[in-house]
mmCIF file of all heavy atoms in Angstrom:
data_model
loop_
_atom_site.group_PDB
_atom_site.id
_atom_site.type_symbol
_atom_site.label_atom_id
_atom_site.label_comp_id
_atom_site.label_asym_id
_atom_site.label_seq_id
_atom_site.Cartn_x
_atom_site.Cartn_y
_atom_site.Cartn_z
ATOM 1 N N ILE K 227 10.703 3.168 11.193
ATOM 2 C CA ILE K 227 9.515 2.449 10.700
ATOM 3 C C ILE K 227 8.907 3.206 9.535
ATOM 4 O O ILE K 227 8.545 2.616 8.519
ATOM 5 C CB ILE K 227 8.487 2.267 11.832
ATOM 6 C CG1 ILE K 227 9.046 1.291 12.882
ATOM 7 C CG2 ILE K 227 7.172 1.761 11.284
ATOM 8 C CD1 ILE K 227 8.208 1.218 14.138
ATOM 9 N N SER K 228 8.833 4.506 9.662
ATOM 10 C CA SER K 228 8.259 5.326 8.586
ATOM 11 C C SER K 228 9.083 5.181 7.321
ATOM 12 O O SER K 228 8.538 5.010 6.237
ATOM 13 C CB SER K 228 8.197 6.782 9.041
ATOM 14 O OG SER K 228 7.697 7.598 8.018
ATOM 15 N N LYS K 229 10.417 5.240 7.450
ATOM 16 C CA LYS K 229 11.279 5.077 6.274
ATOM 17 C C LYS K 229 11.103 3.690 5.671
ATOM 18 O O LYS K 229 11.083 3.516 4.461
ATOM 19 C CB LYS K 229 12.735 5.325 6.650
ATOM 20 C CG LYS K 229 13.049 6.793 6.873
ATOM 21 C CD LYS K 229 14.511 7.010 7.156
ATOM 22 C CE LYS K 229 14.821 8.497 7.367
ATOM 23 N NZ LYS K 229 16.220 8.723 7.657
ATOM 24 N N HIS K 230 10.992 2.685 6.564
ATOM 25 C CA HIS K 230 10.781 1.309 6.080
ATOM 26 C C HIS K 230 9.495 1.211 5.273
ATOM 27 O O HIS K 230 9.475 0.639 4.196
ATOM 28 C CB HIS K 230 10.747 0.345 7.272
ATOM 29 C CG HIS K 230 10.304 -1.041 6.897
ATOM 30 N ND1 HIS K 230 11.122 -1.907 6.200
ATOM 31 C CD2 HIS K 230 9.136 -1.683 7.097
ATOM 32 C CE1 HIS K 230 10.470 -3.032 5.999
ATOM 33 N NE2 HIS K 230 9.261 -2.917 6.541
ATOM 34 N N TRP K 231 8.442 1.795 5.788
ATOM 35 C CA TRP K 231 7.147 1.741 5.075
ATOM 36 C C TRP K 231 7.208 2.530 3.784
ATOM 37 O O TRP K 231 6.612 2.159 2.773
ATOM 38 C CB TRP K 231 6.020 2.248 5.968
ATOM 39 C CG TRP K 231 5.591 1.227 6.981
ATOM 40 C CD1 TRP K 231 5.745 1.292 8.330
ATOM 41 C CD2 TRP K 231 4.969 -0.028 6.742
ATOM 42 N NE1 TRP K 231 5.266 0.168 8.940
ATOM 43 C CE2 TRP K 231 4.776 -0.668 7.977
ATOM 44 C CE3 TRP K 231 4.549 -0.720 5.611
ATOM 45 C CZ2 TRP K 231 4.188 -1.908 8.105
ATOM 46 C CZ3 TRP K 231 3.953 -1.953 5.754
ATOM 47 C CH2 TRP K 231 3.786 -2.529 6.992
ATOM 48 N N GLU K 232 7.955 3.642 3.777
ATOM 49 C CA GLU K 232 8.082 4.415 2.541
ATOM 50 C C GLU K 232 8.829 3.604 1.491
ATOM 51 O O GLU K 232 8.464 3.596 0.316
ATOM 52 C CB GLU K 232 8.797 5.732 2.826
ATOM 53 C CG GLU K 232 7.941 6.726 3.598
ATOM 54 C CD GLU K 232 8.715 7.988 3.989
ATOM 55 O OE1 GLU K 232 9.880 8.126 3.644
ATOM 56 O OE2 GLU K 232 8.106 8.820 4.661
ATOM 57 N N ALA K 233 9.885 2.897 1.915
ATOM 58 C CA ALA K 233 10.627 2.049 0.984
ATOM 59 C C ALA K 233 9.737 0.922 0.475
ATOM 60 O O ALA K 233 9.737 0.592 -0.707
ATOM 61 C CB ALA K 233 11.878 1.480 1.673
ATOM 62 N N GLU K 234 8.973 0.341 1.388
ATOM 63 C CA GLU K 234 8.045 -0.729 1.005
ATOM 64 C C GLU K 234 7.011 -0.210 0.011
ATOM 65 O O GLU K 234 6.688 -0.867 -0.969
ATOM 66 C CB GLU K 234 7.353 -1.267 2.273
ATOM 67 C CG GLU K 234 6.518 -2.499 2.044
ATOM 68 C CD GLU K 234 7.360 -3.740 1.785
ATOM 69 O OE1 GLU K 234 8.510 -3.806 2.220
ATOM 70 O OE2 GLU K 234 6.846 -4.640 1.109
ATOM 71 N N LEU K 235 6.514 1.008 0.260
ATOM 72 C CA LEU K 235 5.522 1.609 -0.636
ATOM 73 C C LEU K 235 6.129 1.868 -2.005
ATOM 74 O O LEU K 235 5.511 1.602 -3.034
ATOM 75 C CB LEU K 235 4.991 2.919 -0.027
ATOM 76 C CG LEU K 235 3.957 3.675 -0.857
ATOM 77 C CD1 LEU K 235 2.721 2.809 -1.090
ATOM 78 C CD2 LEU K 235 3.568 4.979 -0.171
ATOM 79 N N ALA K 236 7.375 2.368 -2.055
ATOM 80 C CA ALA K 236 8.040 2.621 -3.334
ATOM 81 C C ALA K 236 8.215 1.310 -4.098
ATOM 82 O O ALA K 236 7.993 1.254 -5.306
ATOM 83 C CB ALA K 236 9.392 3.302 -3.093
ATOM 84 N N THR K 237 8.606 0.249 -3.401
ATOM 85 C CA THR K 237 8.760 -1.061 -4.041
ATOM 86 C C THR K 237 7.429 -1.542 -4.599
ATOM 87 O O THR K 237 7.355 -2.028 -5.731
ATOM 88 C CB THR K 237 9.297 -2.092 -3.020
ATOM 89 O OG1 THR K 237 10.535 -1.614 -2.508
ATOM 90 C CG2 THR K 237 9.495 -3.438 -3.670
ATOM 91 N N LEU K 238 6.383 -1.392 -3.800
ATOM 92 C CA LEU K 238 5.055 -1.809 -4.249
ATOM 93 C C LEU K 238 4.586 -0.992 -5.440
ATOM 94 O O LEU K 238 3.963 -1.524 -6.365
ATOM 95 C CB LEU K 238 4.052 -1.695 -3.095
ATOM 96 C CG LEU K 238 4.182 -2.778 -2.016
ATOM 97 C CD1 LEU K 238 3.268 -2.457 -0.852
ATOM 98 C CD2 LEU K 238 3.887 -4.156 -2.561
ATOM 99 N N LYS K 239 4.912 0.308 -5.447
ATOM 100 C CA LYS K 239 4.522 1.139 -6.594
ATOM 101 C C LYS K 239 5.247 0.659 -7.854
ATOM 102 O O LYS K 239 4.657 0.593 -8.928
ATOM 103 C CB LYS K 239 4.830 2.604 -6.315
ATOM 104 C CG LYS K 239 3.831 3.254 -5.376
ATOM 105 C CD LYS K 239 4.141 4.728 -5.157
ATOM 106 C CE LYS K 239 3.131 5.369 -4.219
ATOM 107 N NZ LYS K 239 3.427 6.775 -3.970
ATOM 108 N N GLY K 240 6.529 0.324 -7.718
ATOM 109 C CA GLY K 240 7.292 -0.191 -8.865
ATOM 110 C C GLY K 240 6.708 -1.504 -9.358
ATOM 111 O O GLY K 240 6.521 -1.709 -10.558
ATOM 112 N N ASN K 241 6.411 -2.407 -8.400
ATOM 113 C CA ASN K 241 5.805 -3.684 -8.775
ATOM 114 C C ASN K 241 4.449 -3.472 -9.428
ATOM 115 O O ASN K 241 4.097 -4.158 -10.384
ATOM 116 C CB ASN K 241 5.643 -4.589 -7.543
ATOM 117 C CG ASN K 241 6.971 -5.108 -7.040
ATOM 118 O OD1 ASN K 241 7.961 -5.076 -7.767
ATOM 119 N ND2 ASN K 241 7.031 -5.569 -5.809
ATOM 120 N N ASN K 242 3.708 -2.521 -8.896
ATOM 121 C CA ASN K 242 2.386 -2.237 -9.439
ATOM 122 C C ASN K 242 2.493 -1.746 -10.880
ATOM 123 O O ASN K 242 1.731 -2.157 -11.751
ATOM 124 C CB ASN K 242 1.672 -1.200 -8.565
ATOM 125 C CG ASN K 242 0.246 -0.985 -8.994
ATOM 126 O OD1 ASN K 242 -0.428 -1.929 -9.394
ATOM 127 N ND2 ASN K 242 -0.220 0.240 -8.939
ATOM 128 N N ALA K 243 3.472 -0.873 -11.151
ATOM 129 C CA ALA K 243 3.656 -0.368 -12.513
ATOM 130 C C ALA K 243 4.024 -1.511 -13.455
ATOM 131 O O ALA K 243 3.499 -1.611 -14.566
ATOM 132 C CB ALA K 243 4.730 0.720 -12.531
ATOM 133 N N LYS K 244 4.920 -2.397 -13.002
ATOM 134 C CA LYS K 244 5.312 -3.532 -13.834
ATOM 135 C C LYS K 244 4.117 -4.441 -14.107
ATOM 136 O O LYS K 244 3.909 -4.907 -15.228
ATOM 137 C CB LYS K 244 6.425 -4.333 -13.150
ATOM 138 C CG LYS K 244 7.750 -3.614 -13.106
ATOM 139 C CD LYS K 244 8.769 -4.424 -12.333
ATOM 140 C CE LYS K 244 10.070 -3.654 -12.142
ATOM 141 N NZ LYS K 244 11.003 -4.380 -11.284
ATOM 142 N N LEU K 245 3.349 -4.720 -13.054
ATOM 143 C CA LEU K 245 2.189 -5.600 -13.204
ATOM 144 C C LEU K 245 1.125 -4.968 -14.097
ATOM 145 O O LEU K 245 0.477 -5.651 -14.885
ATOM 146 C CB LEU K 245 1.604 -5.931 -11.826
ATOM 147 C CG LEU K 245 2.445 -6.896 -10.990
ATOM 148 C CD1 LEU K 245 1.888 -7.003 -9.584
ATOM 149 C CD2 LEU K 245 2.504 -8.267 -11.637
ATOM 150 N N THR K 246 0.960 -3.648 -13.974
ATOM 151 C CA THR K 246 -0.011 -2.958 -14.827
ATOM 152 C C THR K 246 0.410 -3.065 -16.283
ATOM 153 O O THR K 246 -0.408 -3.343 -17.161
ATOM 154 C CB THR K 246 -0.126 -1.483 -14.408
ATOM 155 O OG1 THR K 246 -0.502 -1.436 -13.022
ATOM 156 C CG2 THR K 246 -1.178 -0.772 -15.227
ATOM 157 N N ALA K 247 1.711 -2.871 -16.566
ATOM 158 C CA ALA K 247 2.214 -2.988 -17.941
ATOM 159 C C ALA K 247 2.022 -4.418 -18.448
ATOM 160 O O ALA K 247 1.577 -4.639 -19.577
ATOM 161 C CB ALA K 247 3.681 -2.588 -18.005
ATOM 162 N N ALA K 248 2.329 -5.402 -17.598
ATOM 163 C CA ALA K 248 2.156 -6.807 -17.988
ATOM 164 C C ALA K 248 0.682 -7.115 -18.233
ATOM 165 O O ALA K 248 0.331 -7.847 -19.159
ATOM 166 C CB ALA K 248 2.713 -7.726 -16.911
ATOM 167 N N LEU K 249 -0.172 -6.541 -17.401
ATOM 168 C CA LEU K 249 -1.609 -6.748 -17.551
ATOM 169 C C LEU K 249 -2.104 -6.176 -18.872
ATOM 170 O O LEU K 249 -2.866 -6.825 -19.593
ATOM 171 C CB LEU K 249 -2.349 -6.086 -16.372
ATOM 172 C CG LEU K 249 -3.864 -6.188 -16.361
ATOM 173 C CD1 LEU K 249 -4.290 -7.643 -16.289
ATOM 174 C CD2 LEU K 249 -4.428 -5.413 -15.190
ATOM 175 N N LEU K 250 -1.655 -4.962 -19.207
ATOM 176 C CA LEU K 250 -2.060 -4.353 -20.482
ATOM 177 C C LEU K 250 -1.562 -5.188 -21.657
ATOM 178 O O LEU K 250 -2.294 -5.431 -22.616
ATOM 179 C CB LEU K 250 -1.527 -2.922 -20.570
ATOM 180 C CG LEU K 250 -2.171 -1.904 -19.608
ATOM 181 C CD1 LEU K 250 -1.444 -0.580 -19.696
ATOM 182 C CD2 LEU K 250 -3.640 -1.727 -19.915
ATOM 183 N N GLU K 251 -0.312 -5.636 -21.577
ATOM 184 C CA GLU K 251 0.241 -6.459 -22.638
ATOM 185 C C GLU K 251 -0.514 -7.771 -22.757
ATOM 186 O O GLU K 251 -0.839 -8.228 -23.858
ATOM 187 C CB GLU K 251 1.721 -6.733 -22.355
ATOM 188 C CG GLU K 251 2.396 -7.535 -23.464
ATOM 189 C CD GLU K 251 3.872 -7.790 -23.164
ATOM 190 O OE1 GLU K 251 4.461 -7.031 -22.372
ATOM 191 O OE2 GLU K 251 4.413 -8.746 -23.716
ATOM 192 N N SER K 252 -0.857 -8.370 -21.617
ATOM 193 C CA SER K 252 -1.607 -9.623 -21.614
ATOM 194 C C SER K 252 -2.986 -9.428 -22.222
ATOM 195 O O SER K 252 -3.465 -10.272 -22.972
ATOM 196 C CB SER K 252 -1.749 -10.139 -20.175
ATOM 197 O OG SER K 252 -0.501 -10.405 -19.632
ATOM 198 N N THR K 253 -3.612 -8.299 -21.895
ATOM 199 C CA THR K 253 -4.943 -8.021 -22.439
ATOM 200 C C THR K 253 -4.878 -7.906 -23.960
ATOM 201 O O THR K 253 -5.726 -8.450 -24.669
ATOM 202 C CB THR K 253 -5.488 -6.715 -21.836
ATOM 203 O OG1 THR K 253 -5.473 -6.830 -20.415
ATOM 204 C CG2 THR K 253 -6.898 -6.462 -22.294
ATOM 205 N N VAL K 254 -3.849 -7.221 -24.462
ATOM 206 C CA VAL K 254 -3.679 -7.099 -25.921
ATOM 207 C C VAL K 254 -3.458 -8.474 -26.539
ATOM 208 O O VAL K 254 -4.058 -8.812 -27.565
ATOM 209 C CB VAL K 254 -2.500 -6.144 -26.237
ATOM 210 C CG1 VAL K 254 -2.141 -6.215 -27.706
ATOM 211 C CG2 VAL K 254 -2.850 -4.727 -25.834
ATOM 212 N N ASN K 255 -2.614 -9.290 -25.888
ATOM 213 C CA ASN K 255 -2.354 -10.641 -26.395
ATOM 214 C C ASN K 255 -3.617 -11.486 -26.401
ATOM 215 O O ASN K 255 -3.869 -12.240 -27.336
ATOM 216 C CB ASN K 255 -1.269 -11.335 -25.566
ATOM 217 C CG ASN K 255 0.109 -10.741 -25.814
ATOM 218 O OD1 ASN K 255 0.321 -10.110 -26.830
ATOM 219 N ND2 ASN K 255 1.032 -10.925 -24.896
ATOM 220 N N VAL K 256 -4.411 -11.369 -25.343
ATOM 221 C CA VAL K 256 -5.667 -12.138 -25.264
ATOM 222 C C VAL K 256 -6.590 -11.746 -26.414
ATOM 223 O O VAL K 256 -7.191 -12.603 -27.066
ATOM 224 C CB VAL K 256 -6.352 -11.921 -23.891
ATOM 225 C CG1 VAL K 256 -7.768 -12.438 -23.916
ATOM 226 C CG2 VAL K 256 -5.557 -12.609 -22.797
ATOM 227 N N LYS K 257 -6.692 -10.441 -26.692
ATOM 228 C CA LYS K 257 -7.538 -9.993 -27.798
ATOM 229 C C LYS K 257 -7.042 -10.553 -29.120
ATOM 230 O O LYS K 257 -7.839 -11.021 -29.950
ATOM 231 C CB LYS K 257 -7.574 -8.462 -27.854
ATOM 232 C CG LYS K 257 -8.396 -7.838 -26.746
ATOM 233 C CD LYS K 257 -8.385 -6.324 -26.846
ATOM 234 C CE LYS K 257 -9.150 -5.703 -25.680
ATOM 235 N NZ LYS K 257 -9.121 -4.235 -25.741
ATOM 236 N N GLN K 258 -5.721 -10.515 -29.320
ATOM 237 C CA GLN K 258 -5.158 -11.052 -30.560
ATOM 238 C C GLN K 258 -5.433 -12.546 -30.678
ATOM 239 O O GLN K 258 -5.793 -13.042 -31.749
ATOM 240 C CB GLN K 258 -3.647 -10.797 -30.617
ATOM 241 C CG GLN K 258 -3.281 -9.347 -30.823
ATOM 242 C CD GLN K 258 -1.767 -9.119 -30.753
ATOM 243 O OE1 GLN K 258 -1.013 -10.005 -30.351
ATOM 244 N NE2 GLN K 258 -1.345 -7.932 -31.136
ATOM 245 N N TRP K 259 -5.254 -13.266 -29.580
ATOM 246 C CA TRP K 259 -5.485 -14.708 -29.612
ATOM 247 C C TRP K 259 -6.952 -15.031 -29.853
ATOM 248 O O TRP K 259 -7.275 -16.003 -30.515
ATOM 249 C CB TRP K 259 -4.981 -15.353 -28.332
ATOM 250 C CG TRP K 259 -3.485 -15.323 -28.209
ATOM 251 C CD1 TRP K 259 -2.580 -15.288 -29.225
ATOM 252 C CD2 TRP K 259 -2.724 -15.288 -27.015
ATOM 253 N NE1 TRP K 259 -1.313 -15.247 -28.747
ATOM 254 C CE2 TRP K 259 -1.355 -15.246 -27.370
ATOM 255 C CE3 TRP K 259 -3.031 -15.308 -25.668
ATOM 256 C CZ2 TRP K 259 -0.336 -15.224 -26.462
ATOM 257 C CZ3 TRP K 259 -2.007 -15.287 -24.756
ATOM 258 C CH2 TRP K 259 -0.670 -15.236 -25.154
ATOM 259 N N LYS K 260 -7.822 -14.226 -29.276
ATOM 260 C CA LYS K 260 -9.250 -14.450 -29.525
ATOM 261 C C LYS K 260 -9.575 -14.245 -31.004
ATOM 262 O O LYS K 260 -10.368 -14.993 -31.580
ATOM 263 C CB LYS K 260 -10.095 -13.514 -28.652
ATOM 264 C CG LYS K 260 -10.167 -13.955 -27.205
ATOM 265 C CD LYS K 260 -11.080 -13.059 -26.385
ATOM 266 C CE LYS K 260 -11.139 -13.528 -24.948
ATOM 267 N NZ LYS K 260 -12.007 -12.689 -24.130
ATOM 268 N N GLN K 261 -8.946 -13.214 -31.598
ATOM 269 C CA GLN K 261 -9.158 -12.983 -33.018
ATOM 270 C C GLN K 261 -8.608 -14.161 -33.832
ATOM 271 O O GLN K 261 -9.251 -14.630 -34.770
ATOM 272 C CB GLN K 261 -8.487 -11.672 -33.450
ATOM 273 C CG GLN K 261 -9.173 -10.430 -32.910
ATOM 274 C CD GLN K 261 -8.376 -9.153 -33.207
ATOM 275 O OE1 GLN K 261 -7.242 -9.206 -33.651
ATOM 276 N NE2 GLN K 261 -9.003 -8.001 -32.940
ATOM 277 N N GLN K 262 -7.417 -14.623 -33.467
ATOM 278 C CA GLN K 262 -6.837 -15.776 -34.164
ATOM 279 C C GLN K 262 -7.712 -17.007 -33.983
ATOM 280 O O GLN K 262 -7.917 -17.780 -34.932
ATOM 281 C CB GLN K 262 -5.430 -16.060 -33.639
ATOM 282 C CG GLN K 262 -4.382 -15.059 -34.068
ATOM 283 C CD GLN K 262 -3.010 -15.359 -33.450
ATOM 284 O OE1 GLN K 262 -2.879 -16.238 -32.614
ATOM 285 N NE2 GLN K 262 -2.004 -14.607 -33.889
ATOM 286 N N LEU K 263 -8.215 -17.181 -32.766
ATOM 287 C CA LEU K 263 -9.081 -18.321 -32.470
ATOM 288 C C LEU K 263 -10.335 -18.274 -33.342
ATOM 289 O O LEU K 263 -10.732 -19.277 -33.926
ATOM 290 C CB LEU K 263 -9.457 -18.307 -30.983
ATOM 291 C CG LEU K 263 -10.470 -19.363 -30.523
ATOM 292 C CD1 LEU K 263 -9.896 -20.754 -30.742
ATOM 293 C CD2 LEU K 263 -10.822 -19.147 -29.070
ATOM 294 N N ALA K 264 -10.932 -17.083 -33.429
ATOM 295 C CA ALA K 264 -12.127 -16.950 -34.259
ATOM 296 C C ALA K 264 -11.779 -17.259 -35.721
ATOM 297 O O ALA K 264 -12.541 -17.944 -36.420
ATOM 298 C CB ALA K 264 -12.695 -15.543 -34.132
ATOM 299 N N ALA K 265 -10.627 -16.776 -36.171
ATOM 300 C CA ALA K 265 -10.209 -17.053 -37.556
ATOM 301 C C ALA K 265 -9.969 -18.544 -37.755
ATOM 302 O O ALA K 265 -10.382 -19.124 -38.773
ATOM 303 C CB ALA K 265 -8.942 -16.255 -37.877
ATOM 304 N N TYR K 266 -9.330 -19.208 -36.786
ATOM 305 C CA TYR K 266 -9.094 -20.647 -36.880
ATOM 306 C C TYR K 266 -10.404 -21.416 -36.894
ATOM 307 O O TYR K 266 -10.564 -22.383 -37.652
ATOM 308 C CB TYR K 266 -8.221 -21.134 -35.720
ATOM 309 C CG TYR K 266 -6.787 -20.680 -35.765
ATOM 310 C CD1 TYR K 266 -6.069 -20.460 -34.595
ATOM 311 C CD2 TYR K 266 -6.117 -20.478 -36.964
ATOM 312 C CE1 TYR K 266 -4.750 -20.041 -34.612
ATOM 313 C CE2 TYR K 266 -4.809 -20.059 -37.006
ATOM 314 C CZ TYR K 266 -4.125 -19.839 -35.830
ATOM 315 O OH TYR K 266 -2.812 -19.433 -35.869
ATOM 316 N N GLN K 267 -11.321 -20.995 -36.009
ATOM 317 C CA GLN K 267 -12.616 -21.674 -35.978
ATOM 318 C C GLN K 267 -13.356 -21.489 -37.302
ATOM 319 O O GLN K 267 -13.960 -22.428 -37.826
ATOM 320 C CB GLN K 267 -13.459 -21.137 -34.815
ATOM 321 C CG GLN K 267 -12.967 -21.607 -33.462
ATOM 322 C CD GLN K 267 -13.703 -20.939 -32.313
ATOM 323 O OE1 GLN K 267 -14.277 -19.869 -32.474
ATOM 324 N NE2 GLN K 267 -13.685 -21.589 -31.157
ATOM 325 N N GLU K 268 -13.287 -20.275 -37.828
ATOM 326 C CA GLU K 268 -13.940 -20.006 -39.109
ATOM 327 C C GLU K 268 -13.286 -20.835 -40.215
ATOM 328 O O GLU K 268 -13.985 -21.430 -41.052
ATOM 329 C CB GLU K 268 -13.847 -18.507 -39.414
ATOM 330 C CG GLU K 268 -14.635 -18.085 -40.631
ATOM 331 C CD GLU K 268 -14.573 -16.569 -40.810
ATOM 332 O OE1 GLU K 268 -14.723 -15.839 -39.821
ATOM 333 O OE2 GLU K 268 -14.369 -16.151 -41.947
#
């Protein structure tokens, strides 16, 4: 059970790292789109 939970934790850590990277990339994209949106509106 302990090994199973450790494997599960390692998988979750990997997923967390991927999601964090995707989140950072999404945040950058959102900022860029907001800037583009403001430029389009202007």
Side-chain angles (χ1 to χ4, degrees):
I227 292 171
S228 178
K229 286 184 179 179
H230 170 74
W231 282 113
E232 288 175 2
E234 188 72 25
L235 179 60
T237 302
L238 286 173
K239 284 182 180 179
N241 289 342
N242 186 37
K244 290 176 186 174
L245 287 172
T246 303
L249 180 62
L250 291 174
E251 183 180 338
S252 298
T253 304
V254 169
N255 289 339
V256 167
K257 287 180 183 179
Q258 289 175 349
W259 291 333
K260 284 184 180 180
Q261 290 173 350
Q262 287 177 353
L263 175 62
Y266 290 149
Q267 287 173 338
E268 187 176 316

